[in-house]
Amino acid sequence: QVQLVESGGGLVQAGGSLRLSCSASGRTFSSNPMGWFRQAPGKEREFVAAISWGGPSTDYADSVKGRFTISRDNAKNIVYLQMNSLKPEDTAVYYCAAARSGSYYLNVSEYNYWGQGTQVTVSS
């Protein structure tokens, strides 16, 4: 079992930066592929970024490539999402997710554990 808690969201102006953190509890965190997703009002939850359990493999949605960076510190049981050059269209609730095994995944249905989410609002 893995429990996830996100933090670091807030209100920022366009062009600004935020760093989201996802603190995980559970013995198997270091072996879990992790991902970040987001959901804007009236829209489906969408993939943002993913990272393999060991950290060397990552993937990003086209809309955030070159602006967002996912990383993990297995010693601290934390996954980060560094978000730079934020745009108003990045406004959403951001969710951290963990899968039980595998490399990493891009689909909501492949993750087994979810946090409660943290709001990110980017003003123009």
Side-chain angles (χ1 to χ4, degrees):
Q1 194 79 357
V2 177
Q3 292 79 41
L4 306 171
V5 178
E6 303 94 336
S7 61
L11 174 64
V12 64
Q13 288 188 334
S17 298
L18 283 174
R19 188 176 77 161
L20 304 183
S21 298
C22 173
S23 296
S25 60
R27 295 189 305 166
T28 60
F29 172 78
S30 61
S31 64
N32 296 110
M34 303 292 295
W36 284 98
F37 290 76
R38 66 187 181 187
Q39 188 167 17
K43 295 187 177 182
E44 292 187 352
R45 194 169 297 188
E46 65 175 7
F47 169 75
V48 175
I51 188 166
S52 62
W53 67 269
S57 298
T58 59
D59 204 350
Y60 298 91
D62 288 343
S63 58
V64 307
K65 278 182 182 176
R67 300 189 298 123
F68 290 12
T69 302
I70 188 172
S71 61
R72 66 190 297 165
D73 185 336
N74 286 342
K76 296 181 179 179
N77 286 359
I78 298 178
V79 175
Y80 302 100
L81 184 67
Q82 177 67 44
M83 305 187 296
N84 299 328
S85 302
L86 282 161
K87 305 175 181 180
E89 50 264 44
D90 294 319
T91 295
V93 177
Y94 282 71
Y95 296 91
C96 175
R100 290 194 184 98
S101 61
S103 177
Y104 63 82
Y105 305 104
L106 310 185
N107 298 315
V108 170
S109 61
E110 292 170 312
Y111 287 86
N112 307 102
Y113 309 103
W114 292 85
Q116 293 301 306
T118 185
Q119 176 70 46
V120 171
T121 303
V122 184
S123 63
S124 58

